[in-house]
Amino acid sequence: MQYHLDTIPVWEAMEWKTQCPLCALEKKTEKDEIERTLGASVMEPDVRIRFNHTGVCPEHQKMLFVEQNRLGHALLMDSHVLERLDELKKIKKQVSSGAKVKSALLKKASPLQPTLDKLRQMNEKCVVCDAVATHMARYRYTFLHLWKTNEDFRKAWKASNGVCLAHTIALFESSQQFLSAKQQSEFAAEALDALVAQLENDQQDLAWFARKFDYRHQDLPWNDSKTATERAINRLRGWCVGSSPYPRKK
């Protein structure tokens, strides 16, 4: 896979100073992809072909529905349902005719296994997930390239909150392709230092949040503990609860 540098989005994500710049960038990318899917691309043949063939996962269907572009969503679903109907009718015909049942029995396998495999294939992909994953792979490459070559970025990285555990794992995996062994170790040490420091702070805030429910501490300040649960969850799993990490206009 060829990667192309696009430094502006990565720099912007660092400037937002969120818990995890890659969570913020992923959320923005996801929102942009949802808007693009329901926008002018509804009438683009290549987009419709991908949507018809791949479909959309439940989470991204909800996001498409919330956009309230009912006509665009209906047009996409109309052609998608037609393609799925065609596939299901072919599968139904094979099941009704007993196709592959004999070979399945000879292998001591369930005669439904080939049908089950096809049905799973129809339901396991998402065109929005695939697009976001492609963008994020490129952004991770850019992130690591900037870390390796740009001193200003290194300073911004060291002054940041680091990245969540989920994106730490993703960056480590990408670093194996783009960084030398020495650079991988150096980056890993920096990322883990930041992650541990932030989690220690989250844990202290969680403990204080719990203590605040003791009447003896009711007059003491909450400090930053009211957001401790959300921060800890998002730090460990990537953003999934609380305010969006993407601070721009929604």
Side-chain angles (χ1 to χ4, degrees):
M1 180 183 292
Q2 292 293 320
Y3 291 93
H4 302 284
L5 285 174
D6 186 5
T7 62
I8 293 175
V10 175
W11 267 112
E12 285 182 340
M14 292 295 289
E15 290 167 358
W16 293 333
K17 300 187 184 302
T18 61
Q19 268 186 253
C20 173
L22 289 180
C23 278
L25 191 54
E26 187 167 17
K27 183 64 179 176
K28 179 184 182 301
T29 302
E30 183 181 54
K31 181 171 176 57
D32 290 346
E33 196 62 30
I34 289 291
E35 292 176 349
R36 190 185 72 83
T37 300
L38 283 177
S41 61
V42 168
M43 304 311 296
E44 294 177 9
D46 61 324
V47 174
R48 294 291 286 276
I49 290 170
R50 287 198 303 273
F51 191 99
N52 293 345
H53 181 69
T54 307
V56 177
C57 69
E59 186 61 31
H60 288 130
Q61 282 287 14
K62 286 192 288 185
M63 292 181 69
L64 289 168
F65 193 78
V66 166
E67 289 293 311
Q68 289 297 305
N69 182 347
R70 304 302 294 275
L71 175 59
H73 202 175
L75 288 170
L76 287 170
M77 290 307 300
D78 180 39
S79 54
H80 177 52
V81 168
L82 283 172
E83 180 158 328
R84 284 293 185 258
L85 273 172
D86 184 57
E87 294 170 343
L88 286 167
K89 287 176 181 178
K90 291 177 182 177
I91 292 172
K92 178 185 173 184
K93 184 177 180 180
Q94 289 178 345
V95 171
S96 299
S97 67
K100 300 184 179 180
V101 170
K102 185 176 180 180
S103 60
L105 291 173
L106 289 173
K107 296 177 183 177
K108 296 184 179 180
S110 167
L112 274 182
Q113 192 59 50
T115 301
L116 182 58
D117 291 341
K118 289 180 180 179
L119 293 174
R120 281 176 173 160
Q121 289 171 8
M122 289 171 56
N123 210 42
E124 66 185 2
K125 297 267 186 186
C126 170
V127 68
V128 177
C129 287
D130 289 349
V132 172
T134 297
H135 285 300
M136 291 308 297
R138 187 173 72 251
Y139 289 141
R140 288 195 302 273
Y141 164 70
T142 302
F143 188 102
L144 292 168
H145 179 84
L146 286 170
W147 177 87
K148 182 171 68 172
T149 62
N150 190 299
E151 188 60 34
D152 288 336
F153 187 85
R154 289 287 287 271
K155 291 177 182 177
W157 159 247
K158 289 180 179 179
S160 73
N161 295 321
V163 295
C164 67
L165 177 58
H167 282 117
T168 297
I169 294 167
L171 282 170
F172 284 9
E173 289 173 342
S174 296
S175 74
Q176 295 175 359
Q177 295 177 266
F178 308 129
L179 301 180
S180 67
K182 180 180 178 181
Q183 290 167 339
Q184 288 176 46
S185 297
E186 185 179 357
F187 178 76
E190 292 178 5
L192 289 171
D193 281 347
L195 180 59
V196 169
Q198 293 299 323
L199 273 175
E200 286 178 340
N201 183 64
D202 294 341
Q203 188 278 321
Q204 291 170 6
D205 284 343
L206 283 165
W208 182 244
F209 181 82
R211 290 179 67 190
K212 274 289 293 174
F213 286 85
D214 186 328
Y215 73 94
R216 292 171 295 180
H217 303 132
Q218 61 184 1
D219 294 329
L220 296 176
W222 288 90
N223 300 322
D224 293 328
S225 67
K226 287 186 176 181
T227 61
T229 302
E230 296 96 308
R231 282 187 280 119
I233 292 169
N234 294 336
R235 190 96 58 198
L236 290 172
R237 289 292 182 171
W239 181 83
C240 54
V241 297
S243 300
S244 171
Y246 172 45
R248 295 297 198 254
K249 181 179 178 181
K250 298 177 183 177

